[in-house]
């Protein structure tokens, strides 16, 4: 089993739709979680960190489910500009500074 | 604020030629530094990371090497490029001693012909 897994997609949704992605991780000791956005031929950019209590930033909501070992990203009212690849990253505890990245989920928002 | 620079942005090199990619970070001290490669349609592959000057850890044995001659400078090199070295090379930094967020540079797109 891969350490961090994501459905590669693509998720093809119309503008205004709500879409959610999951990212599963295998290391139960994982402590830090992140979502990155990567546009085509660009570097990944931090979208948001994922806290135990979940967090929300505008149309984006990230949640952590420790029992089932996954994090999720919910995008409401999708915009054309949301089209990108969304990468999750997971850091283990114990002073690790090397995250494990998923391979990303591709989102295409169409008119 | 912190910024990370990489150059060149794009590079086309023949097989067997040498390589030198540079990454510098501004606005922070003692960062952790990382080199990743992302092949077309693939995930991020960690190549090297460094927790200090002269301290390099290699994740994947290959014909690449890394050096950190200064605190905020990280260099990726090769003596002889292979076709399989083509890809998108990303430098990243994080706060030293913290299990914290990584921030990526703009990347170098390398094509080996």
């Amino acid at each position: 089993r891969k350490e961090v897994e994501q459905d590669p997609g693509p998720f093809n949704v119309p503008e205004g739709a709500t879409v959610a992605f999951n990212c599963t991780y295998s290391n139960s000791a994982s402590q830090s979680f992140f979502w990155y956005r990567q546009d085509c031929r660009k570097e990944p950019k931090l979208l948001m960190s994922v806290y135990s209590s979940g967090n929300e930033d505008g149309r984006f909501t990230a949640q952590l489910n420790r029992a089932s070992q996954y994090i999720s990203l919910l995008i409401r009212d999708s915009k054309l500009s949301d089209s990108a690849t969304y990468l999750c990253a997971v850091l283990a505890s114990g002073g690790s500074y090397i995250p494990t990245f998923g391979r990303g989920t591709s989102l295409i928002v169409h008119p | 604020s912190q910024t990370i620079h990489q150059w060149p942005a794009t590079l086309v090199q023949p097989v067997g030629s040498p390589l030198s990619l540079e990454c510098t970070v501004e606005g922070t001290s003692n960062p952790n530094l990382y080199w990743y490669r992302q092949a077309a349609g693939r995930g991020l592959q960690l190549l090297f990371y460094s927790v200090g000057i002269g301290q390099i850890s290699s994740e994947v044995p290959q014909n690449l090497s890394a050096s950190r001659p200064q605190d905020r400078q990280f260099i990726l090199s090769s003596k002889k490029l292979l076709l399989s070295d083509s890809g998108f090379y990303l430098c990243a930094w994080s706060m030293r001693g913290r299990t914290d967020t990584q921030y990526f540079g703009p990347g170098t797109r390398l094509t080996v012909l």
Side-chain angles (χ1 to χ4, degrees):
Chain A
R1 180 182 174 187
K2 294 179 183 176
E3 291 186 57
V4 177
E5 292 196 64
Q6 294 183 254
D7 181 343
F11 285 62
N12 211 316
V13 303
E15 273 187 291
T18 296
V19 62
F21 314 132
N22 284 343
C23 166
T24 60
Y25 59 94
S26 60
N27 186 349
S28 59
S30 298
Q31 290 292 334
S32 300
F33 309 88
F34 309 91
W35 282 106
Y36 286 80
R37 171 196 168 122
Q38 186 173 23
D39 292 299
C40 186
R41 302 178 70 83
K42 297 288 187 180
E43 75 275 23
K45 292 185 178 178
L46 178 69
L47 183 63
M48 57 201 313
S49 302
V50 187
Y51 306 121
S52 296
S53 57
N55 51 312
E56 186 174 317
D57 182 4
R59 299 182 292 108
F60 298 84
T61 300
Q63 293 195 316
L64 167 64
N65 186 316
R66 284 196 183 275
S68 300
Q69 294 185 199
Y70 73 89
I71 60 173
S72 63
L73 178 67
L74 179 79
I75 305 175
R76 292 181 296 277
D77 188 23
S78 298
K79 311 292 184 188
L80 295 176
S81 58
D82 293 333
S83 298
T85 297
Y86 292 84
L87 306 174
C88 64
V90 177
L91 266 169
S93 61
S96 170
Y97 37 77
I98 302 174
T100 301
F101 284 86
R103 294 180 70 169
T105 296
S106 175
L107 171 65
I108 300 171
V109 182
H110 59 83
Chain B
S1 64
Q2 300 87 5
T3 55
I4 178 169
H5 305 278
Q6 284 186 248
W7 62 91
T10 306
L11 196 57
V12 180
Q13 292 284 95
V15 169
S17 64
L19 174 73
S20 181
L21 303 180
E22 189 163 342
C23 168
T24 59
V25 180
E26 295 177 359
T28 187
S29 297
N30 305 317
N32 297 323
L33 295 172
Y34 311 80
W35 277 112
Y36 289 88
R37 177 171 60 203
Q38 189 175 40
R42 305 286 297 275
L44 289 168
Q45 179 187 31
L46 179 64
L47 302 175
F48 301 94
Y49 65 93
S50 171
V51 298
I53 296 174
Q55 301 178 59
I56 309 294
S57 296
S58 173
E59 288 293 298
V60 183
Q62 54 204 331
N63 68 320
L64 298 173
S65 62
S67 62
R68 185 170 177 173
Q70 300 180 48
D71 180 47
R72 292 170 290 176
Q73 183 185 29
F74 206 21
I75 297 172
L76 182 70
S77 304
S78 174
K79 292 182 179 178
K80 285 187 176 182
L81 284 169
L82 308 172
L83 285 174
S84 57
D85 290 326
S86 293
F88 191 36
Y89 287 82
L90 291 155
C91 181
W93 73 274
S94 67
M95 294 290 286
R96 173 83 67 82
R98 293 178 58 181
T99 55
D100 210 342
T101 315
Q102 285 193 346
Y103 299 93
F104 289 87
T108 295
R109 194 160 298 277
L110 172 67
T111 303
V112 182
L113 302 175

